[in-house]
Amino acid sequence: MKAIIFNGALAGKNQLMTFQNIIEEELVNIGMETESYVLNQIEIKSCIGCFRCWDTTPGICTGVKGDNANEIVEKVIQSELIVILTPLTFGGYSSELKKIMERFLGLVQPGVNQDKGESHHRKRYERYPSLIAIATTEKDDKEEEELFRLLINRHSKNFYPPKYSTEIFKEDTDSDSIRAGLKQIIEEMELRK
Amino acid sequence: MTKVLLLIGSPRGKKSTSANVGNYILDKLNKNGLETSSLIIRNQLSSEEKINQMLDAISLADLIILTAPLYDDCQPYIVIKTMEIIIEKKLKLDNKKFMPIIPCGFPEPHQITEVAIPLYRKFAKTVGLNWVGSLAIGGGEMFNVLQKDSGKSLEELGKVAERLLEALDQISETLSSDKNYQDVELFILPDFWYTKVMSKIVTWMNNRGWKKMAKKKGVKVDAKPYLQE
């Protein structure tokens, strides 16, 4: 079983490294193989909205050139779990994390499915990876935290993780508490099954 | 004279619904005597010099209109990046007016108002911008397709753009009168299009359209290139 971890810290900020290290360790402890990307240290370009990954080379981005996003996206769909780590940015993702997430578009099909009166992207693959979304914040803003949970909920309606979990930590959380929190998420998600 | 800055936040730049909608309002505001200018965020992020040029324009504006599509339920990367730069540079935006206008491919505007609009509101509050309303355009992508196929302007699209133009005209009039607009969820088509039966038909047609387009290019729309054997 494989997990891909995306660290969306901004350049020059290191607040997510402890989370990355601990989640790597805890996933290895349950027998998962992990691969991590510190996104501010690799060249990833954002989506240009050309839809070539939908109508010209379905499933593969050929509109954006000169980065390794396709290789990463292939690993994503072949993994059992992705973990996204981000500084909470007004309740959403950091720019570093958003760049790679935009490139997941080819993992779903164009057109829509109707579900409970809402349109959502259509599945391209039978199976998608589960998702753990972790945000960190120095603020005490419940509205932003709730927005992040809603964002992940809505994202999950379009990208079909069989299981997903969202958690927000204070930036100054000590490493024992981070470990306890992450362990609990992993246990509750029953990722070994 | 009130200075209005249109920030176009679509990664497609000037060939986007965001640009077309924003420029429509900008023209009206200009005709009503306001001083207007616009910048395409994608282009402005290409160098430090252009970033500074954008920050200067933001600093000089009294009213900032941001038009940007919904990408994965929130802002596109280029818009988040711009917000982060504004925070990092500690730009003074107190009391400047701010209005986001957000088109979305999905027809339901609440897909925009549930997360993206509150995110923009959080940003505005954080940097001291004065919120003067917002417009969530469900199905806004349709106008891009129609305009690309026909080469027509929004005004030339006729009946199909009636609801959109009505909303854009209201925004232009309200902002020209120095008043606040509301937070509006716009369904672009008449109500019967959103009934269960019509939704099914439209969904079927939409899916068939993508399938045909891919077929024309000699590919299968449901290809699974990364499937492991």
Side-chain angles (χ1 to χ4, degrees):
Chain A
M1 286 175 74
K2 185 151 189 182
I4 309 289
I5 300 165
F6 294 109
N7 180 336
L10 300 184
K13 304 260 174 89
N14 204 21
Q15 76 269 52
L16 296 172
M17 201 42 90
T18 307
F19 289 85
Q20 181 188 320
N21 292 336
I22 292 174
I23 195 104
E24 282 171 359
E25 287 169 18
E26 292 303 325
L27 290 171
V28 168
N29 284 344
I30 62 160
M32 291 191 92
E33 186 190 332
T34 66
E35 184 168 357
S36 298
Y37 294 93
V38 179
L39 294 163
N40 69 50
Q41 290 172 13
I42 54 174
E43 168 79 2
I44 297 289
K45 295 172 182 168
S46 57
C47 175
I48 57 171
C50 67
F51 290 163
R52 286 179 64 88
C53 64
W54 277 354
D55 66 15
T56 307
T57 50
I60 301 173
C61 172
T62 47
V64 180
K65 293 182 171 60
D67 68 11
N68 293 328
N70 283 343
E71 198 182 294
I72 295 171
V73 171
E74 181 171 6
K75 287 179 183 176
V76 164
I77 197 61
Q78 291 173 356
S79 69
E80 278 70 36
L81 172 70
I82 64 166
V83 179
I84 56 175
L85 305 170
T86 181
L88 193 59
T89 308
F90 311 113
Y93 310 121
S94 69
S95 59
E96 289 294 343
L97 181 62
K98 189 70 202 302
K99 270 195 290 195
I100 189 69
M101 291 188 72
E102 287 182 357
R103 303 291 294 281
F104 293 172
L105 189 66
L107 293 178
V108 289
Q109 284 191 57
V112 294
N113 279 336
Q114 286 289 330
D115 183 28
K116 295 179 189 118
E118 270 191 8
S119 310
H120 294 295
H121 294 310
R122 305 176 81 195
K123 279 185 170 184
R124 180 176 300 284
Y125 295 94
E126 285 285 316
R127 187 200 59 81
Y128 285 79
S130 288
L131 169 67
I132 295 177
I134 305 292
T136 64
T137 179
E138 55 187 12
K139 292 192 262 182
D140 193 14
D141 187 328
K142 295 292 172 219
E143 279 177 12
E144 282 195 7
E145 293 181 15
E146 189 50 35
L147 271 178
F148 188 68
R149 290 181 197 281
L150 257 176
L151 175 60
I152 298 302
N153 175 274
R154 295 209 67 86
H155 166 84
S156 298
K157 290 178 181 181
N158 287 305
F159 287 88
Y160 304 100
K163 299 172 183 176
Y164 71 91
S165 181
T166 311
E167 200 50 75
I168 297 105
F169 290 85
K170 289 282 170 297
E171 269 183 20
D172 58 2
T173 306
D174 64 82
S175 55
D176 286 346
S177 304
I178 294 172
R179 188 177 297 278
L182 295 178
K183 254 179 132 165
Q184 192 182 344
I185 291 169
I186 292 167
E187 276 170 24
E188 284 174 1
M189 287 179 77
E190 298 181 312
L191 292 169
R192 281 189 197 138
K193 289 182 182 173
Chain B
M1 192 189 289
T2 304
K3 292 187 178 71
V4 185
L5 173 65
L6 169 66
L7 289 176
I8 299 166
S10 171
R12 290 181 185 160
K14 62 181 177 186
K15 291 179 181 172
S16 63
T17 304
S18 300
N20 293 335
V21 160
N23 283 323
Y24 180 90
I25 294 175
L26 214 60
D27 281 349
K28 297 265 171 185
L29 295 178
N30 189 261
K31 280 176 189 153
N32 288 341
L34 281 68
E35 188 181 324
T36 58
S37 62
S38 70
L39 290 172
I40 294 173
I41 292 178
R42 181 190 72 182
N43 301 349
Q44 296 305 129
L45 290 177
S46 62
S47 71
E48 200 59 38
E49 189 190 344
K50 287 192 165 181
I51 289 172
N52 288 331
Q53 187 191 28
M54 175 166 65
L55 296 178
D56 288 346
I58 292 171
S59 294
L60 287 170
D62 303 304
L63 164 63
I64 298 153
I65 299 171
L66 172 75
T67 54
L70 190 76
Y71 269 26
D72 192 4
D73 288 288
C74 58
Q75 311 97 316
Y77 157 78
I78 54 174
V79 175
I80 303 177
K81 182 73 187 168
T82 303
M83 291 172 163
E84 288 170 348
I85 292 170
I86 287 171
I87 294 289
E88 187 198 332
K89 303 271 184 188
K90 297 187 171 77
L91 221 58
K92 294 256 178 266
L93 302 177
D94 286 344
N95 299 322
K96 292 180 187 300
K97 293 178 178 181
F98 177 66
M99 176 179 217
I101 296 177
I102 313 299
C104 162
F106 295 138
E108 306 89 13
H110 75 263
Q111 300 219 35
I112 307 166
T113 55
E114 196 159 318
V115 177
I117 294 293
L119 284 176
Y120 282 113
R121 205 183 258 280
K122 274 281 161 198
F123 163 73
K125 195 174 175 191
T126 304
V127 298
L129 286 166
N130 182 11
W131 188 268
V132 293
S134 64
L135 180 66
I137 309 171
E141 169 70 10
M142 184 185 79
F143 297 106
N144 194 48
V145 175
L146 291 173
Q147 289 188 269
K148 208 159 71 177
D149 290 350
S150 67
K152 290 178 177 173
S153 68
L154 279 176
E155 299 97 307
E156 290 165 342
L157 287 179
K159 219 169 168 47
V160 75
E162 251 176 23
R163 284 195 172 194
L164 175 68
L165 294 180
E166 193 185 324
L168 301 184
D169 287 340
Q170 272 177 11
I171 289 172
S172 309
E173 284 311 308
T174 310
L175 297 179
S176 297
S177 319
D178 204 23
K179 290 179 186 156
N180 285 2
Y181 188 64
Q182 318 144 61
D183 292 305
V184 171
E185 289 186 346
L186 182 69
F187 288 86
I188 54 171
L189 297 172
D191 296 347
F192 79 92
W193 284 95
Y194 300 95
T195 58
K196 255 188 182 174
V197 177
M198 282 312 289
S199 284
K200 272 190 181 168
I201 294 169
V202 172
T203 299
W204 180 80
M205 283 168 63
N206 181 13
N207 293 345
R208 193 161 172 264
W210 282 104
K211 201 173 173 180
K212 277 173 79 175
M213 197 188 302
K215 200 176 171 188
K216 219 156 78 178
K217 295 183 181 182
V219 292
K220 286 179 80 175
V221 75
D222 60 351
K224 297 169 179 56
Y226 298 142
L227 197 64
Q228 274 182 321
E229 296 304 320

